[in-house]
Amino acid sequence: MAAVAFAVTGCAADDTATPGASPAADTPSASAAPTGSADPAAVAALAKATAALGTTSFKVSLTSGPGLKLTGLMDAPNGTGTADLTATGPNTEINVKTLLVGQDLYVKVPGVTKGDTWTHVDVSRLPEGADVGLRPGQIDPANTAQLLTSTTDVQQADSRSYRGTLDLTKAAGVAGVDQTLVKTWGAQAQNVPFTAGLDEQGRLSALTIQLPAVNGQQAQPLEVLYTDYGIKVEAQKPAATETTEAPDSLYTTLGG
């Protein structure tokens, strides 16, 4: 549902700094993007760290300025997860809940879904590039593993941090970035700086993407923090009496 959130927040443009900063070792500060080819050792270390997201459970926190915040608990081995997203714009706020249990995806979207019931989404009907945060086979709302396939210049910044640039035209639909937003950025979307940090056990702890500005508004970095590896995730299918099937209008909304 991050695509819906970005529409509400205007990409969360604001003059306030991104909250939630963590120690420097876990959240490296952005710096000038590297040039030239990637460092094979850096590529291997970062690939190993992101691959670990598919082998355990973890907590994820995603923010972009004060206007967009997502928190989730993910259990990749069991294919379950929950996510709560809050998007705040100049005159409105939207709170979206997502629940994934195996191949079943449920959402609660104020003004779109019915009351406080869960709406079951037919994943096969989702439009191409629809960004719903969670879905079968995509347990990480930021989908960092796929996102990093669009970089060719990863370099090691220090003992536990890495940097490079992303080509978001090759990774639209992940990390809350949909195709419409990518088109708005134009050529800037092909050279977006990022930094990534690892924890003491070599697991991914932070990803910061320096998103381009939109319509002349101040750009807000997209920051993703990974913590609480091994956490227990409680996620069960809601009762039939608490569930409705998604109407056609929901798929239209997700398609943009």
Side-chain angles (χ1 to χ4, degrees):
M1 307 307 296
V4 177
F6 268 90
V8 171
T9 62
C11 201
D14 192 277
D15 292 334
T16 306
T18 301
S22 60
D26 285 347
T27 312
S29 60
S31 55
T35 57
S37 60
D39 174 1
V43 172
L46 197 51
K48 181 179 179 181
T50 55
L53 295 174
T55 64
T56 186
S57 60
F58 56 90
K59 179 180 179 180
V60 59
S61 301
L62 183 153
T63 60
S64 183
L68 178 65
K69 180 179 181 180
L70 179 148
T71 59
L73 299 177
M74 313 299 154
D75 184 344
N78 291 307
T80 60
T82 62
D84 293 312
L85 181 148
T86 299
T88 304
N91 301 304
T92 188
E93 179 176 286
I94 184 171
N95 301 101
V96 178
K97 295 182 181 297
T98 309
L99 170 65
L100 177 66
V101 183
Q103 297 300 307
D104 291 296
L105 177 67
Y106 305 87
V107 298
K108 290 182 180 179
V109 186
V112 178
T113 58
K114 183 179 179 180
D116 194 41
T117 62
W118 285 103
T119 294
H120 181 257
V121 176
D122 182 350
V123 178
S124 67
R125 292 187 60 190
L126 289 175
E128 182 179 359
D131 185 359
V132 293
L134 301 178
R135 67 168 67 195
Q138 182 179 322
I139 199 68
D140 174 13
N143 209 357
T144 298
Q146 180 185 344
L147 187 66
L148 292 178
T149 64
S150 73
T151 184
T152 59
D153 59 355
V154 177
Q155 300 286 333
Q156 186 165 0
D158 59 40
S159 61
R160 298 213 312 266
S161 64
Y162 302 85
R163 61 179 182 167
T165 55
L166 302 170
D167 183 351
L168 295 182
T169 66
K170 299 179 180 178
V174 298
V177 179
D178 65 10
Q179 190 64 52
T180 301
L181 195 55
V182 169
K183 289 180 179 179
T184 300
W185 289 327
Q188 294 182 90
Q190 296 177 319
N191 192 39
V192 179
F194 80 91
T195 54
L198 310 187
D199 66 13
E200 293 180 351
Q201 298 183 46
R203 302 171 302 194
L204 190 67
S205 63
L207 175 71
T208 301
I209 305 172
Q210 301 296 327
L211 298 176
V214 177
N215 298 327
Q217 298 174 326
Q218 180 178 345
Q220 290 289 352
L222 183 69
E223 182 180 47
V224 189
L225 302 178
Y226 297 93
T227 60
D228 296 86
Y229 280 96
I231 192 173
K232 184 176 181 180
V233 178
E234 299 286 352
Q236 297 180 342
K237 291 184 180 181
T241 55
E242 301 174 355
T243 306
T244 59
E245 287 298 319
D248 292 341
S249 58
L250 179 65
Y251 299 102
T252 302
T253 299
L254 294 176

